[in-house]
Amino acid sequence: METAVATQWAIDTAHSEVQFKVKHLVVATVTGQFNEFSGEVEASEDFSDVRARFEAQIASISTNNEMRDNHLKSADFFAADEFPTLTFVSTGVTRRSDDEFTLHGDLTLRGVTKPVDLKVTYNGTIQDAYGNTKASFEVEGKINRKEFGLMWSVATEAGGAVVSDDVRLIANIQLQKQG
């Protein structure tokens, strides 16, 4: 019996984005992103056995508001000086259909590691004009920020939270085949 040969892939950061969305004042949504990140994937041709590792630099966070970004980097939230990276390491994958998976893994944020499940949609594989093989994915998930030690909170006069506990994770990832 032949075993499948795993292919090595790396995130093409020029064609990928890693974002988060969080409710502000209960009714509005603030979108942020990490501008510096990297990742590697090892998988068979159909990605049904994917093994992934991802890392983002907390200091690269951007919400298009410097004052808010500095607050997010502070000890009130990410404590970027003490915990400079966010990491995700996959622990397994469940195939839902030909193009949908649940990627199970451990997310480490602010020194706290918790299991998370990410919904992954495979958009296909193609060869670009330069002969590079690319694969594209959309990734979605949700975490409770307080489970990772991001405890800062202030209530509004009406009793709602300034920042919600739930944070949506959204990534559009393009991989480039290595070797």
Side-chain angles (χ1 to χ4, degrees):
M1 178 177 212
E2 253 182 72
T3 56
V5 175
T7 301
Q8 303 293 320
W9 302 82
I11 292 179
D12 176 354
T13 57
H15 298 102
S16 299
E17 58 188 11
V18 177
Q19 299 179 322
F20 60 90
K21 294 183 180 283
V22 64
K23 287 290 187 190
H24 180 254
L25 297 175
V26 184
V27 296
T29 300
V30 171
T31 300
Q33 66 184 25
F34 293 98
N35 293 321
E36 294 176 24
F37 55 88
S38 61
E40 301 81 36
V41 169
E42 184 177 293
S44 59
E45 188 176 314
D46 69 355
F47 293 95
S48 63
D49 60 350
V50 66
R51 288 179 297 285
R53 178 172 174 73
F54 171 83
E55 183 174 282
Q57 300 302 312
I58 298 297
S60 75
I61 201 167
S62 174
T63 62
N64 292 319
N65 180 298
E66 185 178 356
M67 189 167 74
R68 180 174 45 225
D69 295 347
N70 289 335
H71 190 204
L72 288 170
K73 294 173 196 177
S74 77
D76 283 348
F77 286 98
F78 290 101
D81 289 341
E82 188 177 353
F83 305 103
T85 58
L86 167 157
T87 60
F88 174 83
V89 178
S90 67
T91 58
V93 63
T94 304
R95 186 176 205 141
R96 302 287 179 209
S97 69
D98 285 347
D99 61 354
E100 291 191 0
F101 304 84
T102 300
L103 185 61
H104 312 284
D106 291 327
L107 178 67
T108 302
L109 184 56
R110 199 182 162 128
V112 177
T113 302
K114 297 275 184 186
V116 297
D117 289 335
L118 302 173
K119 177 185 173 194
V120 179
T121 302
Y122 171 55
N123 295 322
T125 301
I126 194 165
Q127 193 167 42
D128 70 11
Y130 305 101
N132 300 305
T133 302
K134 305 282 184 132
S136 174
F137 301 86
E138 294 174 17
V139 181
E140 298 176 28
K142 185 168 76 168
I143 63 168
N144 181 314
R145 67 183 178 90
K146 289 186 175 178
E147 291 180 355
F148 292 90
L150 284 82
M151 304 302 284
W152 185 88
S153 186
V154 174
T156 65
E157 287 182 19
V162 171
V163 180
S164 72
D165 294 347
D166 289 336
V167 180
R168 291 186 350 200
L169 309 173
I170 302 150
N172 289 298
I173 302 294
Q174 188 173 110
L175 299 176
Q176 181 168 312
K177 188 175 184 179
Q178 303 298 292

